[in-house]
Amino acid sequence: MTARVNLLRRIDEVRPQLRKSEKKVADLILAAPSPVIHMSIASLSAEVDVSEPTILRFCRAIGCDGFPDFKLKLAQSLVSGTPYVHADIEAGDDMLGITSKVFNAAINTLGSVRERINFAAMEEAVVLLNSANRIDVFALGLTSAVGLDAQQKFLRFDIPVVLHMDSSLQTMAAATLKSGDVALMFSYHGQQKELLRTAEVAKASGARIVCVTRTGSRLARIAHVVVNIDTEEDTFIYAPMTTRIAHMAIVDALATGVALQRGPAAVERFKKIKATLRHEQWPEEAAD
């Protein structure tokens, strides 16, 4: 069991018993532990908007001797290993424990991502997608599942949607885009050179680039609109889990936003699409 597992588990366990102000400290640390190790007690108290004595009470509540001891244990916890997958999962866990921890990790990540989202960018992305002459979805590797989900969601609208998951075909498709088209791109870390090349070609072709990726990444710097997803999960070492769930939640939110903008016409189209799928169900299930 790593130090990070012990510390974050302890914070999560004692959180319900903490005072309201101390819960604010716990929530910030659970959402983004890495920056905290570089903070002084004064800077942390200012960031959370609580008093320094509150920080000290919090440290004692989670079993630390004081703020320096808390920072040391937190720093020791941020090492390679199981925390990159799910901070609480251990080799001896049974399926009940694994399932509970996976669900808790997903819930915590969604809450953290929601607090950091640029909603103005979300609104701008919805406007661009709703008015697009054509939407080309670009995703590579692990994000392909998200790209497929986006294609299926946006196909329900009266907009041509194509998914590209091959890097060579992506560049070719990007070259055919023009003004009025939208390139919708997904990347967990925003550093894939093939996708960056595709983004540059699409932008040069006159398309608007909407990307869902990390704040400040190379892909984010190319895009016109960035929907930021900043998770604690290390996407370079292990296959992303909670990051993928967060991306899919963003897809649902964007698709819902477009549906609301398109009004009753979208509802009628959804009904028509659902009706075409009824023949694939057993008769007794068709009414579900």
Side-chain angles (χ1 to χ4, degrees):
M1 187 187 304
T2 66
R4 179 181 178 182
V5 172
N6 286 335
L7 187 61
L8 294 186
R9 175 181 296 163
R10 178 61 180 163
I11 294 173
D12 190 57
E13 287 174 348
V14 304
R15 187 187 178 282
Q17 286 76 49
L18 297 176
R19 300 177 183 180
K20 184 177 180 180
S21 58
E22 294 166 358
K23 286 180 179 178
K24 292 173 63 178
V25 182
D27 290 343
L28 182 141
I29 294 167
L30 288 172
S34 299
V36 178
I37 64 174
H38 303 292
M39 293 182 181
S40 65
I41 188 170
S43 60
L44 180 58
S45 65
E47 181 72 19
V48 187
D49 193 23
V50 298
S51 67
E52 292 185 18
T54 296
I55 302 293
L56 292 174
R57 285 197 303 269
F58 167 80
C59 292
R60 289 193 291 268
I62 63 172
C64 297
D65 294 333
F67 189 71
D69 182 50
F70 159 73
K71 286 183 61 177
L72 176 62
K73 290 178 178 177
L74 184 60
Q76 290 172 340
S77 75
L78 301 180
V79 295
S80 298
T82 53
Y84 287 121
V85 183
H86 286 296
D88 286 335
I89 292 178
E90 302 166 20
D93 284 344
D94 58 15
M95 281 312 302
L96 174 60
I98 292 171
T99 303
S100 297
K101 292 171 183 179
V102 168
F103 271 73
N104 287 338
I107 292 167
N108 291 337
T109 294
L110 287 174
S112 174
V113 169
R114 182 184 60 188
E115 293 301 318
R116 304 179 191 183
I117 289 176
N118 182 339
F119 291 103
M122 290 280 286
E123 292 176 355
E124 189 176 356
V126 166
V127 170
L128 286 176
L129 292 165
N130 182 49
S131 60
N133 296 324
R134 160 183 159 190
I135 298 174
D136 280 37
V137 182
F138 298 93
L140 285 173
L142 295 169
T143 55
S144 296
V146 180
L148 180 60
D149 187 52
Q151 180 196 36
Q152 293 175 346
K153 293 292 194 313
F154 288 99
L155 270 176
R156 300 180 301 166
F157 306 113
D158 192 17
I159 307 171
V161 181
V162 183
L163 169 64
H164 307 284
M165 296 186 291
D166 176 85
S167 59
S168 296
L169 292 178
Q170 284 184 345
T171 305
M172 293 172 60
T176 69
L177 294 171
K178 55 185 181 296
S179 178
D181 297 335
V182 170
L184 178 58
M185 299 187 163
F186 297 94
S187 177
Y188 294 146
H189 48 76
Q191 307 294 348
Q192 293 161 301
K193 62 180 182 180
E194 298 91 346
L195 199 61
L196 294 171
R197 171 61 178 161
T198 297
E200 291 171 345
V201 172
K203 192 172 186 178
S205 298
R208 304 295 286 179
I209 313 297
V210 175
C211 73
V212 182
T213 191
R214 286 187 178 273
T215 301
S217 65
R218 292 181 65 186
L219 180 60
R221 293 196 292 270
I222 295 172
H224 296 100
V225 179
V226 180
V227 177
N228 59 301
I229 292 187
D230 302 310
T231 62
E232 290 299 310
E233 192 168 62
D234 190 315
T235 60
F236 288 99
I237 297 181
Y238 292 104
M241 300 178 193
T242 58
T243 304
R244 181 189 64 244
I245 294 170
H247 274 247
M248 288 185 169
I250 290 295
V251 170
D252 282 348
L254 292 175
T256 301
V258 172
L260 291 176
Q261 283 208 356
R262 298 181 85 81
V267 176
E268 292 304 315
R269 185 171 178 83
F270 296 163
K271 289 180 179 178
K272 180 179 178 180
I273 293 172
K274 187 172 182 178
T276 65
L277 299 176
R278 290 187 180 276
H279 74 281
E280 298 180 2
Q281 303 173 1
W282 290 105
E284 62 270 21
E285 297 174 341
D288 291 347

